[in-house]
Each structure stands twice: as C-alpha cells, then as structure tokens.
Amino acid sequence: MTGDNPRPLVECRGLAKHYGEGETRVDALRTVDLDLWPGEVVGLLGPSGSGKTTLLNLIGCIVEPSAGTLRLDGETVWEGKWLRPDLRRLRLEKVGFIFQFHNLLPFLDVSENVALVLDMAGAATTDAFARAHELLDYLEVGHRKAAKPSSLSGGEAQRVAIARALANRPRIILADEPTAALDGERAGIVMDLLRKVAVEQSATVVVVTHDEKILGRFDRLFHLRDGRIEDMASRPGDLTG
Amino acid sequence: MNLALRDIRHHLGRFLLTAVGLGLLLGVVLSMIGIYRGLVADALGLVRAPAAEVWVVETGTRGPFAEGSRIPGDTRESIARLAGVTETGSMTFQSLEATHRDRKLRLQVVGYEPGRLGGPPAIAEGRGLARSRFEIVADVKTGLVVGERIPLGGDVFTVVGTTRGAVSSGGDPVVWMALRDSQVLQFRLSPAPARREAARGPVAAGAPDTINAVVARVAPGASVEAVVEAAKRWKHLAAMTQDDQETILTRSVVEKARQQIGLFTTVLLTVSTVIIALIIYTMTMDKIREIATLKLIGAPDGRIVGLIVQQALALGLIGFSVGASLIASAKDFFPRRVVMLPEDAASLGLVVIVVCLVASGLGVRLALRVDPATALGG
Ligand SMILES: Nc1ncnc2c1ncn2[C@@H]1O[C@H](COP(=O)(O)OP(=O)(O)O)[C@@H](O)[C@H]1O
Ligand SMILES: [Mg+2]
C-alpha cells in the first residue's frame, strides 16, 4: 500500500484543535496520530460533532491546529505555528478539497468554476477549459457546462465540486461527505474515480462519510469519537464484525 | 479569467442601477463645475465684448463693473488724443427691470456710440444700431425679436438686431443702445437726490453727459502700459489694462461664487467618496462567502484585491460616463450658461478613479481579513 514512496503524504503527530477558552472551550480534536500513504483511499467515520470536519480542515491547512505537528508530503507545515507563509499556494498545488456544501462560485458557470483553479495554477486558458470539460464529461455533468451553480441539482453540484477538486491533480484529496447527495450508481462512479486518482497520481484520498453503500471501497477506516481516533480497521469487515 | 466582470454580469441589473445612481451624483458635481465655468464666461463676456486694451474710469474706483464709475462724456476725446491710441469708445453700463409682454425682464443695458468701440461683438439676426436714437440690439435671451417694440424709461425702443449669449455677470441678457439714449435712461431711472445733484452741474437737454468708462485700443507697436500711465495722469481718471479689468471682475464678481461652488463641489466629492466606499464595502460584504471560497481553493490575495478594485473602477467609470453624458445633453436646459470643458471632465474622471481606488480600500481590508473557514458552514 505504501508503494515505492518511503514517506507518508500526511503525517499528524499529537494533532489537536480546540475552539474557545475556559467555560466555552470545545475540544474538537484531541491528540490525533495519523499517517496517510500515497495510493490509499481512507474513510473517516464517526457521529456528528466527533471532529471529522475539523480533522479534514487541519490536514487541508484551512484551520490552524492548537497543538502537535502536521507534515504534508515530507514538509512540516505546522509546529507551534505555520511554517509556510503561502498556505493558499500549498492548497492550490497539493490539496483538492471537496466541500460538504460544494462551495461553487455562484457568478461563474460550471466549466469556469473548474477552470478557475487551473487558471490560478498558471494553466493556459484553452488547456484549463479542455481539462475542465474532460473532467465534467467523465463525471457525467458535461451537459451542464454552461449552467450557473444555482440551477444545478445537489448531485450535479457535488460532481462539479469533485471535478474542481481534482482539476490540478493534487496529491492530497479531502472529501467531506462527497456521495451524500448521490444515488448508489453515481456514488460508485465517484468512488471509482477517487480510487483511480489515488493510484494514478499516487495520491491520498480521505473521505468523511456516513454512506453505508461505499464503506466496502476503503483501504482503511478510522472511527472518530469525541475528537479521538477510537479504533482502526484495515477493512470494514473487521469494523462491523 | 476575469472574476470582476463575471460577478458584475451575475448581478448586472443591480450593478447598473448603482452605477446610474452614482452617475447622477457625479452629474451634479460636473454641473457645479460647469455652472462655475459658465459664470466666469458670462462675466467676462461683457468685458471682452468691446475688445478693448485699455479701460479708463473714475479715479479711485475699479469700475465700471466692480464699482460705480462716473466720468464726463468728453473724456473720450482726451484719451483719443493720447499717443498710441487708435480707437476709443464711451460706454455706459446699467441694469434695469422692464416689463415685456406682462413679464418682468431684467436687462443689462450697454450704451455706446455706433461707429466707435463698445458695440455688440456679433449680430445674430437683423442689423446693428444705425439711427442715433430709440433703437436697440437685444440678446435673444431677452425673448425680444427683431421688429418688436419695448418701452424703457418712458421711451419706446425698436429692436433692430439680436445677439446670442451676451449676458452680464449676474446672468441678465444685454441690450445695446445709443450712448445718448442710455444717458437719458440713466438720468431718469437714477434716484431722485442723485438726479437733483446731477442737475446742478452742466446740464444739456435734461440728462448730463456722463459716462461710466472709456475703452481704447492701442496701435500694434505702442505700449498699452504707457497709455495706461498717460491716462492716469489726467485729473480724476483711473486706467487699467484689459487683463487688469478681467482680473478685477473675476476677483470681485466671481470670487465669492467660485468659493461657494468650490466648497459645494468639495462637499459633493466627499459625499461621493463616502457613497462609493459604502457601495463597494456592501458589495464586498455580499461576497464574503465567495471570497472565503476563493481563499479555500487557493486564490492569491492579488486575485481577490483585483476583483474588488476592478469592480470599484468599473462602477466609477460607468457612473462618470452616465453623469457626463447626462450633463452634456442637459446643459442647454439650465437657466444659466453651463460650460463643460474637456479638461474639467478629464480631471473629474481622474478624481473619480482616485476616489474609487481610495474607497475600495475599505472593501479590500475587509476581504483580506475574511477567514477562509467562513465558507465552510452551510
Ligand atoms: N468554528 C468552530 N467554533 C467552535 N466550535 C466548533 C467550530 N467548528 C467545530 N466546532 C465544534 O467542534 C466539534 C467537532 O466539529 P466537527 O469537526 O464539525 O464535527 P463533525 O464534522 O464530525 O460533525 C463540534 O463540537 C463542533 O461544535
Ligand atoms: Mg462535518
């Protein structure tokens, strides 16, 4: 599973996050140790409020950790403070985020939403749109290229968001409930695509999910409870059995 | 991929409405400047009409526009005899109120001797004065037409010609008449005590031969200053060059208006700045989630600042164009002259650009402080 790469893509050491102080302090995540390797697709499970989104946001450098160490692709990015000044560049190049609420830009049409991240990474306009259309076609939303996000169904918006997250061929792909709005067949297509990306780009894919349909498709599953990784199972069979 | 343009297109109606509103405001600023320019042009029109180089007036005064000036009618001959003087003219200036077609009409009456300096610069319709008495040339703004008759100070005058755009610094249309007619008019319309006093002097045919100024032109090679100096040596005379006269007029007559309008324009520009800043701030507030998303997906600050600044500039430039075209098409319907100079429009355009840049600072500050995590909520 580790392939030829000797290092994990994501290394969390004692990673913790709390919001507020004193009376109002909420420990969203307590001392998480986690290594994620290139080529693997892992699932993150747990009840609501257990810290799944928080963990994704920490790995994606969207939220600043409170303690511990975070290393991405061998580079220490947080240890007491941010060690990289350009977190957005890091996100643009290394991290593909599939947000729970899609977060498409309402003033751009579907293909522009996808092409924008390529454009920002320095791609030529025609190349950016060609890649965007290719991804959208693959995800079966190519026919909605010119539509504004407000006119998309939940499932269509989700697939556009996935296309955007994959556009720059990131090595770390973080997905918050990516198949919640999709039917079983489409959820399967998305999981196939994520698997393909993990293998072809030797990327790591982390998926937060409640979706029973797809539990069998993960290499490893992590259970979160009260901000801690509770148990670890290499196969969902171990988990349920 | 230009984000500013696409966001504008997304809210096109709202954006254009805002730009038009701003355009009205900028139109008011432009018309203020135009009204001031018109004021100066009007005020100088009367002074420039005789195309004189030297003005001779009563000693101790800065007449005949800024202060009253009364000098004897034979002054013109003395000035005409000065070395270097080629042409002269005696002139009177008075404003009066007449009734025309049951309407009160304020007029600036200019008296001159036909054939000498001081007449209307250009006749639009009809002819100039020919007979020595009871004819007038009137500006079209009086509403008088050629052939019409109008009573002034007890005599009835016939309009023989019209001019276009001749008004006093107060905006009253100009009427030209023969010097003798204007002297009689001045005598009849002056307050009773002044008339009694004037009657004690040398009286000819009822009205004294008093004028308000002598204008003169100087031979091409001769020195205007020398003529001014020579005229000053005459007893009871003051003299000045055309430039001096224009300066006095703009200082005394237009300065207050300039300050007033300048102050008003400054206030309007300040209000515009605040409004533009608020609009841009609100536009940014409405986009907080999109800006946070842009940060989430890795957009650099330059991209986000560009979005806000470009929209601010678009707003300002569209607003400015709307305002400028509005005033350009409406300027002739103003009761007083509105002069739109290209350089005034250009400088206001520049000011608008600067104002937009300054005003977008508030929005930019807000945008740069947005936490990307803001976009994660539902
Ligand atoms: N911005 C925040 N401020 C305060 N508390 C937060 C914030 N984000 C998350 N939390 C709290 O942290 C805990 C974990 O949240 P989250 O990671 O969203 O859970 P999950 O995604 O597993 O439902 C919850 O108790 C939540 O209320
Ligand atoms: Mg969550």
Side-chain angles (χ1 to χ4, degrees), chain A:
Chain A
M1 196 170 299
T2 57
D4 302 326
N5 200 318
R7 285 205 78 123
L9 262 178
V10 177
E11 295 168 70
C12 305
R13 291 284 167 275
L15 205 60
K17 174 69 186 176
H18 65 258
Y19 293 102
E21 288 298 341
E23 294 269 299
T24 60
R25 176 171 164 138
V26 179
D27 282 289
L29 211 64
R30 308 163 205 254
T31 53
V32 165
D33 292 293
L34 188 65
D35 284 345
L36 302 172
W37 299 86
E40 70 173 344
V41 180
V42 304
L44 216 51
L45 300 164
S48 179
S50 59
K52 306 182 295 294
T53 300
T54 302
L55 180 55
L56 275 201
N57 291 344
L58 290 181
I59 297 173
C61 303
I62 289 169
V63 165
E64 182 167 9
S66 309
T69 307
L70 175 67
R71 262 192 295 278
L72 299 182
D73 204 2
E75 180 186 354
T76 306
V77 293
W78 198 89
E79 192 161 36
K81 61 175 199 284
W82 290 116
L83 299 176
R84 252 188 89 137
D86 53 343
L87 293 173
R88 279 185 240 164
R89 189 82 212 164
L90 178 83
R91 277 206 290 277
L92 186 64
E93 286 168 356
K94 294 218 166 113
V95 184
F97 225 118
I98 302 166
F99 302 104
Q100 195 170 359
F101 301 100
H102 323 325
N103 285 87
L104 298 174
L105 292 166
F107 53 89
L108 299 182
D109 68 24
V110 162
S111 49
E112 287 167 344
N113 258 290
V114 179
L116 176 64
V117 290
L118 291 149
D119 176 73
M120 289 192 304
T125 307
T126 44
D127 298 345
F129 279 96
R131 166 109 177 113
H133 293 158
E134 175 194 296
L135 274 164
L136 291 168
D137 285 339
Y138 188 87
L139 285 159
E140 294 181 37
V141 273
H143 60 292
R144 304 303 311 268
K145 283 200 261 294
K148 281 283 165 67
S150 57
S151 70
L152 299 178
S153 71
E156 287 170 335
Q158 187 66 291
R159 281 174 283 154
V160 175
I162 293 169
R164 179 177 66 183
L166 300 181
N168 274 328
R169 301 179 208 279
R171 306 243 355 250
I172 299 162
I173 294 155
L174 309 171
D176 207 347
E177 312 259 9
T179 60
L182 305 180
D183 60 41
E185 191 188 337
R186 290 222 165 87
I189 292 177
V190 167
M191 289 312 294
D192 286 343
L193 177 64
L194 292 177
R195 164 75 57 199
K196 190 170 147 210
V197 169
V199 174
E200 286 177 1
Q201 292 167 208
S202 51
T204 257
V205 179
V206 185
V207 179
V208 168
T209 190
H210 285 114
D211 196 348
E212 300 278 342
K213 301 188 289 286
I214 60 169
L215 286 187
R217 293 174 173 269
F218 294 106
D219 299 315
R220 290 192 286 163
L221 280 172
F222 296 94
H223 251 239
L224 273 172
R225 189 177 298 278
D226 290 335
R228 285 200 180 84
I229 292 182
E230 201 174 48
D231 54 26
M232 190 170 136
S234 61
R235 277 286 158 200
D238 304 345
L239 194 90
T240 48

Side-chain angles (χ1 to χ4, degrees), chain B residues 47-107:
Chain B
V47 189
R48 285 178 181 163
E53 287 168 291
V54 176
W55 288 76
V56 180
V57 294
E58 184 178 343
T59 188
T61 74
R62 300 183 307 148
F65 305 103
E67 291 176 286
S69 153
R70 297 172 71 82
I71 51 177
D74 57 7
T75 309
R76 191 196 60 76
E77 285 148 49
S78 340
I79 300 299
R81 280 196 296 272
L82 291 177
V85 172
T86 53
E87 274 181 274
T88 52
S90 300
M91 297 190 75
T92 62
F93 298 89
Q94 63 180 315
S95 53
L96 57 81
E97 205 167 75
T99 309
H100 171 60
R101 292 188 207 142
D102 297 329
R103 200 165 52 88
K104 283 254 182 284
L105 193 59
R106 281 200 62 79
L107 300 173

Side-chain angles (χ1 to χ4, degrees), chain B residues 80-302:
Chain B
R81 280 196 296 272
L82 291 177
V85 172
T86 53
E87 274 181 274
T88 52
S90 300
M91 297 190 75
T92 62
F93 298 89
Q94 63 180 315
S95 53
L96 57 81
E97 205 167 75
T99 309
H100 171 60
R101 292 188 207 142
D102 297 329
R103 200 165 52 88
K104 283 254 182 284
L105 193 59
R106 281 200 62 79
L107 300 173
Q108 168 71 48
V109 175
V110 175
Y112 76 106
E113 297 170 279
R116 295 216 165 95
L117 286 186
I123 300 289
E125 205 183 314
R127 58 171 174 81
L129 300 186
R131 285 198 301 136
S132 54
R133 303 294 308 264
F134 308 126
E135 286 186 347
I136 56 172
V137 167
D139 190 82
V140 286
K141 218 185 131 188
T142 57
L144 295 166
V145 292
V146 174
E148 209 168 352
R149 294 158 68 79
I150 177 170
L152 296 172
D155 290 321
V156 176
F157 290 78
T158 306
V159 180
V160 297
T162 56
T163 60
R164 212 173 279 283
V167 293
S168 72
S169 59
D172 303 330
V174 177
V175 163
W176 281 269
M177 62 174 64
L179 187 69
R180 194 60 206 144
D181 284 339
S182 75
Q183 286 172 327
V184 171
L185 207 56
Q186 226 165 39
F187 178 67
R188 284 189 187 154
L189 297 181
S190 61
R195 198 155 63 219
R196 242 179 283 122
E197 175 149 343
R200 258 182 250 124
V203 179
D209 182 17
T210 304
I211 58 175
N212 303 124
V214 170
V215 289
R217 273 184 213 161
V218 174
S223 155
V224 174
E225 277 72 26
V227 173
V228 167
E229 282 312 306
K232 278 181 182 165
R233 265 184 270 122
W234 288 83
K235 221 174 154 219
H236 292 305
L237 290 180
M240 68 197 92
T241 64
Q242 174 73 20
D243 280 351
D244 292 339
Q245 182 64 270
E246 289 185 13
T247 311
I248 287 170
L249 192 73
T250 35
R251 288 266 165 77
S252 63
V253 182
V254 186
E255 184 65 12
K256 281 269 158 45
R258 198 176 73 84
Q259 286 171 356
Q260 182 104 339
I261 290 176
L263 190 72
F264 197 48
T265 308
T266 314
V267 169
L268 276 175
L269 274 176
T270 313
V271 170
S272 308
T273 311
V274 172
I275 288 181
I276 293 176
L278 280 177
I279 291 173
I280 291 166
Y281 190 78
T282 316
M283 277 165 52
T284 312
M285 285 285 271
D286 289 347
K287 275 198 288 287
I288 289 283
R289 202 177 145 81
E290 285 77 26
I291 289 167
T293 299
L294 280 169
K295 290 185 177 182
L296 277 185
I297 62 176
D301 283 342

